[in-house]
Amino acid sequence: MNRQKFSGVKNSFLQRRYGVSLGRRYVLAAASVVLFSVLGCSQVDTKTRAVAETGIPKPEPSLQKKTVIPNTKVVNANNKFGFKLFSEVAKRESNAKNISVSPTSVAIALAMTYNGASGLTQKAMAKTLELQGITLPELNSAYTELNQLLQNPEQNVQLTIANSLWVNQDISLRPDFLQRTRDFYQAKVANLDFQNPSAPSTINNWVKENTKGKINNIVDKIEPDQALFLINAIYFKGQWSEKFDKSQTQPQTFYTASGQQKQHPMMSQKGEYRYYENPQFQAVSLPYGQNKKVSLYVFLPKQNSNLKAFYQNLNAENWEKWMSQFDSREGSIRLPRFQTDYDITLNDTLKALGMGEAFTNKANFSGMADQLAISQVRHKTVIEVNEEGTEASAATSVGMVPTSLRQPQEPFEMIVNRPFFYAIRDNQSKNILFMGAISEPG
């Protein structure tokens, strides 16, 4: 089967955007929120109160973003943190459950939080987020540049990143913290009456808007001692550089992690891909857009292995090694259509990774305000992959080498009919936007 050439970008986009039927939609979204609570009964510092920003349009991404060079130290830190985060989450989930996280969303939400941390709390967060040796000004500038580089890299690949800070109207925050949040993270900063029953809806509507309706809520209720919410939302929608032919999609057997067999639509395609294989797994890169700046990487453990064994080798060092060994090769792939929603509270995960103090009465967020601690870090993702491409959203809330010439190789065959790992990676910056594991495609 010949791969279909990408054409009619604008027309296809308009059809999908305005609801003309082209088959199932595809999306990826993530949201992360950090919730903060007040410790004790004394009044929080009253130097400067967060001032609501309303009616101010968000600045358009710079047209000069192609000239931006990402800070490799911060990208490496993000990816190291991402693999640690995923590994810890995987430990806590059953082998039969699909997992999907956006390390970028969680890292940005926690980076905003890190701006208010001091003392031992700051050191603990730096260790967890792999920020040792990176100054706060360097970190903030790097996120400004990364945001500029990542957003909407080309016409048929949409990627948006949005941040917000919601402050209880009775709470006042340090002016320099507020200024950094606005200047470096382009965050919407707003005061809100947390006692008003409509307050959760106000926050959730912002998340819904910034994930294109894929994540409807990140805050279920607001506790009486809640002080503020720091939220990151990411939305991604990409068309394959070469779409799958829908007529080639057929029901085939997928062998789930629980040992069951289920019939599931499997997409099929032949062509030239960036591909890597070793004794443990097969891996392929499926790019989005004409310029292939972003790709979905699929890692399929060999039949004599499984995801649990794959996880033992899944870390930032091995990831970079694997990325350097992908090579162009002819082959065929069968990939299940899949969609999954994932919702997790990351408190225990982050405590296990070393930042437990931030959740206790020993927490020091004096750079933000007095007597604050993180009460909850919540993360949601939505992803759908089909013949057209991928659409995804994530939301995180913090409540507070030269190679030798190779001989021609036989075409590979990669049949993804059993549990697999995936990652969506920005190939320009090398930043990993999403990662997950599908044990049973939905």
Side-chain angles (χ1 to χ4, degrees):
M1 176 187 68
N2 293 327
R3 300 174 75 192
Q4 294 182 329
K5 294 296 181 183
F6 184 80
S7 62
V9 173
K10 181 181 290 186
N11 184 52
S12 297
F13 169 75
L14 291 174
Q15 286 177 307
R16 281 189 303 278
R17 176 67 178 85
Y18 294 108
V20 176
S21 178
L22 284 176
R24 299 171 65 210
R25 289 175 56 78
Y26 49 94
V27 64
L28 180 62
S32 303
V33 59
V34 184
L35 287 67
F36 277 84
S37 59
V38 181
L39 293 175
C41 301
S42 62
Q43 175 64 35
V44 176
D45 175 56
T46 57
K47 288 182 180 178
T48 298
R49 176 160 297 185
V51 179
E53 294 177 353
T54 58
I56 301 175
K58 296 178 181 178
E60 292 295 324
S62 171
L63 296 176
Q64 302 300 317
K65 65 183 174 184
K66 292 182 180 179
T67 64
V68 173
I69 300 175
N71 185 309
T72 56
K73 288 198 296 183
V74 172
V75 169
N76 290 340
N78 280 354
N79 290 345
K80 284 182 182 179
F81 166 69
F83 286 117
K84 290 196 309 182
L85 180 76
F86 181 86
S87 177
E88 191 63 35
V89 168
K91 286 180 189 177
R92 298 169 184 274
E93 296 286 17
S94 71
N95 292 334
K97 187 169 182 179
N98 296 334
I99 301 171
S100 181
V101 298
S102 170
T104 295
S105 178
V106 179
I108 293 174
L110 289 175
M112 290 192 293
T113 308
Y114 181 71
N115 270 265
S118 302
L120 294 178
T121 301
Q122 185 186 54
K123 291 181 179 179
M125 291 188 70
K127 183 177 180 181
T128 297
L129 296 172
E130 298 288 342
L131 299 178
Q132 301 98 323
I134 301 174
T135 66
L136 190 58
E138 184 179 13
L139 177 69
N140 290 335
S141 295
Y143 269 118
T144 301
E145 294 163 355
L146 189 61
N147 182 65
Q148 186 180 355
L149 180 67
L150 290 177
Q151 299 225 43
N152 296 326
E154 57 178 295
Q155 184 180 11
N156 55 332
V157 177
Q158 299 178 57
L159 176 60
T160 59
I161 301 171
N163 298 306
S164 62
L165 168 61
W166 305 85
V167 188
N168 191 351
Q169 63 179 10
D170 296 329
I171 300 296
S172 296
L173 302 181
R174 310 280 193 232
D176 54 344
F177 172 78
L178 291 173
Q179 197 64 43
R180 289 195 300 269
T181 304
R182 291 190 183 103
D183 290 349
F184 294 105
Y185 297 89
Q186 295 81 50
K188 170 187 174 68
V189 178
N191 287 116
L192 197 62
D193 179 5
F194 282 8
Q195 302 305 310
N196 191 317
S198 67
S201 295
T202 300
I203 298 172
N204 289 329
N205 285 339
W206 181 90
V207 172
K208 183 177 180 180
E209 177 185 351
N210 285 282
T211 60
K212 303 293 190 289
K214 293 302 173 181
I215 297 177
N216 293 321
N217 75 296
I218 195 75
V219 176
D220 295 326
K221 63 178 180 178
I222 300 178
E223 299 294 342
D225 65 345
Q226 205 70 62
L228 62 95
F229 296 83
L230 281 159
I231 303 181
N232 168 268
I234 294 179
Y235 174 83
F236 171 81
K237 183 176 182 178
Q239 299 175 20
W240 301 124
S241 299
E242 307 288 348
K243 296 180 189 176
F244 286 82
D245 184 348
K246 291 182 182 179
S247 69
Q248 300 297 316
T249 299
Q250 301 292 337
Q252 295 182 0
T253 302
F254 188 95
Y255 302 86
T256 70
S258 60
Q260 297 179 329
Q261 300 180 23
K262 64 176 291 187
Q263 293 297 300
H264 189 81
M266 297 282 283
M267 306 181 297
S268 182
Q269 193 180 81
K270 294 181 180 178
E272 186 175 335
Y273 306 86
R274 290 189 57 76
Y275 177 80
Y276 172 57
E277 181 176 352
N278 66 24
Q280 286 76 47
F281 60 78
Q282 292 176 277
V284 68
S285 169
L286 301 173
Y288 303 101
Q290 293 173 311
N291 298 322
K292 304 180 180 181
K293 293 180 178 180
V294 182
S295 294
L296 172 72
Y297 290 82
V298 178
F299 289 75
L300 178 67
K302 294 289 183 72
Q303 290 196 351
N304 61 353
S305 187
N306 54 41
L307 279 178
K308 188 175 182 180
F310 174 76
Y311 293 157
Q312 294 176 356
N313 294 312
L314 183 61
N315 55 52
E317 184 179 1
N318 282 338
W319 175 265
E320 288 305 315
K321 188 186 301 181
W322 296 339
M323 289 295 104
S324 70
Q325 296 182 71
F326 275 75
D327 197 14
S328 182
R329 187 168 166 186
E330 289 285 334
S332 63
I333 180 167
R334 295 183 200 169
L335 180 69
R337 288 196 311 222
F338 66 91
Q339 58 181 352
T340 183
D341 300 352
Y342 190 69
D343 185 353
I344 184 173
T345 297
L346 292 171
N347 292 26
D348 291 341
T349 299
L350 293 169
K351 290 175 185 178
L353 294 178
M355 55 176 280
E357 181 175 299
F359 295 86
T360 72
N361 59 8
K362 295 181 181 179
N364 183 349
F365 288 100
S366 58
M368 188 185 304
D370 296 330
Q371 297 180 300
L372 290 180
I374 297 175
S375 55
Q376 186 185 63
V377 177
R378 189 175 178 188
H379 184 61
K380 279 190 172 187
T381 59
V382 174
I383 181 170
E384 182 172 354
V385 173
N386 70 6
E387 292 87 349
E388 299 282 337
T390 299
E391 193 176 6
S393 296
T396 306
S397 167
V398 183
M400 222 272 357
V401 181
T403 58
S404 58
L405 292 174
R406 300 182 181 181
Q407 296 298 319
Q409 296 176 297
E410 290 294 318
F412 71 85
E413 182 181 50
M414 185 170 171
I415 304 175
V416 188
N417 62 356
R418 53 191 183 275
F420 61 95
F421 173 84
Y422 70 86
I424 295 180
R425 174 184 185 253
D426 176 72
N427 296 321
Q428 301 176 92
S429 65
K430 301 183 180 179
N431 192 77
I432 300 171
L433 301 167
F434 296 85
M435 63 174 70
I438 300 297
S439 296
E440 181 175 344

